[in-house]
Amino acid sequence: MDLFNPFSSTKHENRLTWSFLTMLKYDMYLQKYIYDTVTTQLPQLPAIYNTWEPAHISTQTKMIGESTQQLVSVLLTDEKIHDKIEIKWEERNAIYDGVIEYSNGLTLIVENKLDHEKVWKEQLSPSRNALSSTRRENVLLHQFVKCLVWPDVLEAVLKYSNSEIASFGNRNIARDFLSFTEKHHPNLTPYRTYILCGNRESALIRRTVRLVDTLASKSGLSVHDQSKNCLEHLDCIARLIEFKIIINSNKNTWKLRINLWPASTSSQADRFREVLNRAEFINLDESEWIVTPNLNFSFQGTKLYWATTDWNSQSYLEYFFGQERRYGRKYSREMEELLEQWSENGLIRCEDTLEIKRIFQNRKFFDINPEFSVYRELDNETVIKMESQDHLEAHIIESLSVPLATWGEDLRVLGK
């Protein structure tokens, strides 16, 4: 049962405004939040405006209360509009999305626009017909619209829903409202922090893209053109560093996976062989990093197949990076012999052998890439805790220095 979604089939274009104002109507703390947020943008109000009683709230109304002494037009939208929007009394019949009348005489008329680019400025001005001419002459109409953005409002509601000052009922109403916006208006959900994203995968992915942007600015690396969740450096032994959200099957928890792939090409593998500290690399699991073989095959730079191996990382490393160079470009006859040998000794499986032969049957050669997958996973509680302490990016950079150091690189200097 959900206050804002009483029936799954119910749809209405004004449901978001109705839900928001319904929540405000029953919660003085949130009324005070809106009051403070708007009045901080106004000239200092007389002392009388410091008094406080619950506000009268209405939606889809033509009228403004006769007790109004100061009137402010408020725009609620998805992104901040920095240009000043001037308003005045208009000769039109207006229906206001919301009217919030505080007992001290301050009234807010609220216009909700989900897209800031579709704001009709004239719609933000009050109608002369909303007040009698006598009352209108005594009302101070503030000259410019005050813009509030949904991500800021939703973030405030979320913090309130987890606070100790909110009662049990108010916390649940706030959470119902947040659930409603996540379901029906996901583009309004803020992505500044992971905790604001809840367990919604699309929000977590967008937050991770922002994380990668921040890491790029701190490290000097680039964001990959196609994969916005990857850092890239063309001259590195591991060209890409991927940041991926893994949602657990129960949908209640998630992990942030940080993944590198050293020795992904022959030239990278050659450098890897020269500089690798083998003992430290194989023992990366002691630093919470997982190392697994990721053998793959490519043709003219395009990877076409990844094989499954039963070998552990130690055996795989000794085979490809021992005395003999067993990777790189191989021609048909040599490749056939290798495939048979690998199938027999368990480096690849029989089904891999058949598929590789099928893919490359019309090609004279292809490249063997003795790649590794090196990854670490941070659970959602750890990510949220580090983020709340403003330490997430620093922790990731520090953590990445561990695997990178085993092959002689450092994220903190790669981009310089």
Side-chain angles (χ1 to χ4, degrees), residues 174-187:
R175 288 168 185 168
D176 278 356
F177 175 70
L178 291 169
S179 297
F180 167 79
T181 56
E182 286 179 3
K183 181 178 180 180
H184 296 287
H185 303 283
N187 59 306

Side-chain angles (χ1 to χ4, degrees), residues 133-335:
S133 58
T134 304
R135 286 296 307 132
R136 191 169 61 246
E137 293 175 359
N138 296 321
V139 171
L140 172 61
L141 176 62
H142 286 268
Q143 186 177 7
F144 298 104
V145 172
K146 306 307 172 187
C147 183
L148 305 183
V149 293
W150 275 113
D152 288 344
V153 172
L154 293 173
E155 182 174 354
V157 173
L158 177 65
K159 290 179 179 178
Y160 174 67
S161 71
N162 293 321
S163 71
E164 295 182 356
I165 64 172
S167 68
F168 171 80
N170 287 0
R171 282 198 301 269
N172 280 279
I173 289 176
R175 288 168 185 168
D176 278 356
F177 175 70
L178 291 169
S179 297
F180 167 79
T181 56
E182 286 179 3
K183 181 178 180 180
H184 296 287
H185 303 283
N187 59 306
L188 300 182
T189 305
Y191 307 104
R192 285 191 292 274
T193 62
Y194 279 102
I195 192 172
L196 295 176
C197 300
N199 294 319
R200 192 160 56 84
E201 187 171 11
S202 60
L204 291 166
I205 290 172
R206 290 180 66 173
R207 170 65 186 105
T208 302
V209 169
R210 292 173 65 102
L211 172 65
V212 172
D213 283 337
T214 303
L215 290 169
S217 65
K218 290 181 179 294
S219 66
L221 299 185
S222 302
V223 177
H224 191 265
D225 287 340
Q226 282 76 43
S227 303
K228 299 301 182 182
N229 64 324
C230 292
L231 292 174
E232 178 181 37
H233 196 285
L234 298 178
D235 298 327
C236 289
I237 288 173
R239 175 182 173 181
L240 295 179
I241 305 174
E242 181 188 60
F243 298 83
K244 185 177 181 179
I245 293 295
I246 308 295
I247 302 287
N248 288 354
S249 58
N250 58 17
K251 302 294 184 181
N252 293 325
T253 59
W254 52 269
K255 296 179 181 179
L256 174 64
R257 175 179 288 185
I258 307 168
N259 211 147
L260 305 91
W261 295 273
S264 184
T265 66
S266 294
S267 61
Q268 290 175 2
D270 287 339
R271 292 167 55 199
F272 186 72
R273 171 199 290 272
E274 293 175 4
V275 301
L276 182 66
N277 186 318
R278 295 169 183 247
E280 291 184 0
F281 181 73
I282 291 300
N283 292 322
L284 276 173
D285 60 334
E286 297 177 2
S287 303
E288 299 181 334
W289 287 90
I290 306 300
V291 177
T292 61
N294 199 43
L295 180 64
N296 58 76
F297 304 85
S298 60
F299 178 73
Q300 294 183 341
T302 301
K303 293 183 183 291
L304 298 178
Y305 191 77
W306 281 260
T308 301
T309 180
D310 295 325
W311 286 19
N312 60 32
S313 297
Q314 177 75 53
S315 301
Y316 181 87
L317 179 68
E318 291 173 353
Y319 180 81
F320 281 110
F321 296 94
Q323 295 297 321
E324 185 179 348
R325 186 180 186 271
R326 290 191 169 99
Y327 57 85
R329 183 153 298 180
K330 304 295 179 181
Y331 290 85
S332 299
R333 182 172 299 178
E334 182 182 10
M335 194 64 238

